[in-house]
Amino acid sequence: MPEYNGPDPVVEITGVTEVARDLVVVPNRHIDLVPNIGVIGGTRSVLIVETGLGPSSAEKVLKFAADYAKGRRLYLTTTHFHPEHAFGAQAFAGEATYLVNRAQADDLAGRGASYLDMFRGLGEPVARQLEGVKLGIPDVVYDGSCDLDLGGRVVHLRPTGQGHTKGDQVVTVPDAGVMFTGDLVETGQFSIFPWFPPYDTDVSGVRWITVMQRLIDEHPRVVVPGHGDVGGHQLLADVRDYLEELRDETWRRRDLAMEEPKIAEEVRALMIKRHPDWAGQEWIEPGVGCLYSEHAA
Ligand SMILES: [Zn+2]
């Protein structure tokens, strides 16, 4: 992974936005390694989505959510096991019921420790936030899908199958038309491909495209991405279109027997030309590498 050079990746409880009735987002303020965090209320319970990177950010999230809940029971879920999304779960122990899908729990158990090491190596600002991290242990691991009744509001927790990770989970609030996608979607940014062969090759560009099509067909009104501004349905189409471009441009060159480094160089230049305003240019090449290794489903 590229070294982290941004501001301290800490959650701040500022700019909190009500995107639907009794449903707020703590925005990531365009800081890499800070996720968008959701707090979804029902009459009896409140669900928190994502913890932030490390215990000190997570404690802020917990305090905010507990104040918001005013005595309602707390639940926590995370969209996938990556550190800024899930490596603060310990702060919620005994305070919130932590539930995740089976594949995400497997990712955390299998890859959590190596991601902790990798992230600690990204630089001092990241290592500081990860001091004292203990990998969270979910209280409830569900198989299949989960409908969580918060009282007068049922939230759908759905594993998508392999995409950005093997264990991605999408959280939707049908009565409000709101969807939390985690890192399957970012706003104004090239899709993050955690393609680190030989250590981690769990991301699949081909399957990710299929996942995006299914999410598009659900027609959410509000999409809360893993990082970047909250938007509408169009955010989903933008990601699908980019992934398809990346696939087609990579495969076209592979069919011409072009070597992978040359493909990466050409496709990178092309994507930057097509999306000059997007952040995260360093994620184009891993995306090419991933798709280069894949074939039509
Ligand atoms: Zn991620």
Side-chain angles (χ1 to χ4, degrees), residues 168-202:
D168 295 318
Q169 174 189 238
V170 160
V171 177
T172 54
V173 188
D175 73 79
V178 177
M179 176 184 281
F180 291 81
T181 63
D183 286 347
L184 290 164
V185 177
E186 324 288 7
T187 304
Q189 182 176 331
F190 295 100
S191 298
I192 296 173
F193 275 76
W195 175 256
F196 310 123
Y199 307 105
D200 184 356
T201 55
D202 284 352

Side-chain angles (χ1 to χ4, degrees), residues 42-224:
T43 55
R44 289 191 307 274
S45 310
V46 166
L47 172 66
I48 302 146
V49 183
E50 319 287 37
T51 69
L53 182 77
S56 102
S57 281
E59 277 157 24
K60 286 190 220 170
V61 174
L62 173 61
K63 181 173 185 316
F64 171 73
D67 289 348
Y68 183 89
K70 296 190 171 67
R72 290 176 283 182
R73 177 180 175 172
L74 297 180
Y75 287 93
L76 168 69
T77 194
T78 48
T79 57
H80 61 301
F81 82 101
H82 283 160
E84 77 272 29
H85 299 267
F87 283 17
Q90 70 200 71
F92 295 83
E95 305 289 334
T97 304
Y98 182 25
L99 75 165
V100 299
N101 52 307
R102 174 74 57 193
Q104 181 178 172
D106 291 348
D107 279 350
L108 183 65
R111 298 209 174 278
S114 64
Y115 266 74
L116 186 53
D117 279 350
M118 176 165 67
F119 270 60
R120 281 185 169 137
L122 294 181
E124 184 52 31
V126 181
R128 210 166 28 239
Q129 296 309 317
L130 290 171
E131 268 173 33
V133 163
K134 292 192 212 76
L135 296 179
I137 297 169
D139 299 300
V140 178
V141 177
Y142 70 83
D143 289 297
S145 59
C146 172
D147 291 346
L148 183 64
D149 187 351
L150 301 177
R153 167 173 274 171
V154 176
V155 177
H156 291 177
L157 309 180
R158 298 281 186 269
T160 61
Q162 186 182 17
H164 171 74
T165 66
K166 278 187 175 166
D168 295 318
Q169 174 189 238
V170 160
V171 177
T172 54
V173 188
D175 73 79
V178 177
M179 176 184 281
F180 291 81
T181 63
D183 286 347
L184 290 164
V185 177
E186 324 288 7
T187 304
Q189 182 176 331
F190 295 100
S191 298
I192 296 173
F193 275 76
W195 175 256
F196 310 123
Y199 307 105
D200 184 356
T201 55
D202 284 352
V203 54
S204 166
V206 170
R207 289 170 186 271
W208 192 339
I209 290 167
T210 307
V211 169
M212 290 316 301
Q213 192 54 55
R214 280 209 312 273
L215 299 184
I216 286 166
D217 292 344
E218 288 188 34
H219 287 95
R221 183 180 64 85
V222 176
V223 175
V224 183

Side-chain angles (χ1 to χ4, degrees), residues 220-260:
R221 183 180 64 85
V222 176
V223 175
V224 183
H227 304 266
D229 293 340
V230 173
H233 186 255
Q234 184 61 33
L235 288 187
L236 303 176
D238 289 348
V239 171
R240 179 204 51 199
D241 294 350
Y242 166 67
L243 293 173
E244 287 182 348
E245 277 175 37
L246 194 67
R247 176 196 63 190
D248 294 347
E249 296 297 341
T250 299
W251 286 5
R252 197 160 62 74
R253 287 168 176 78
R254 186 180 63 187
D255 289 346
L256 299 170
M258 196 183 280
E259 306 241 345
E260 190 191 333

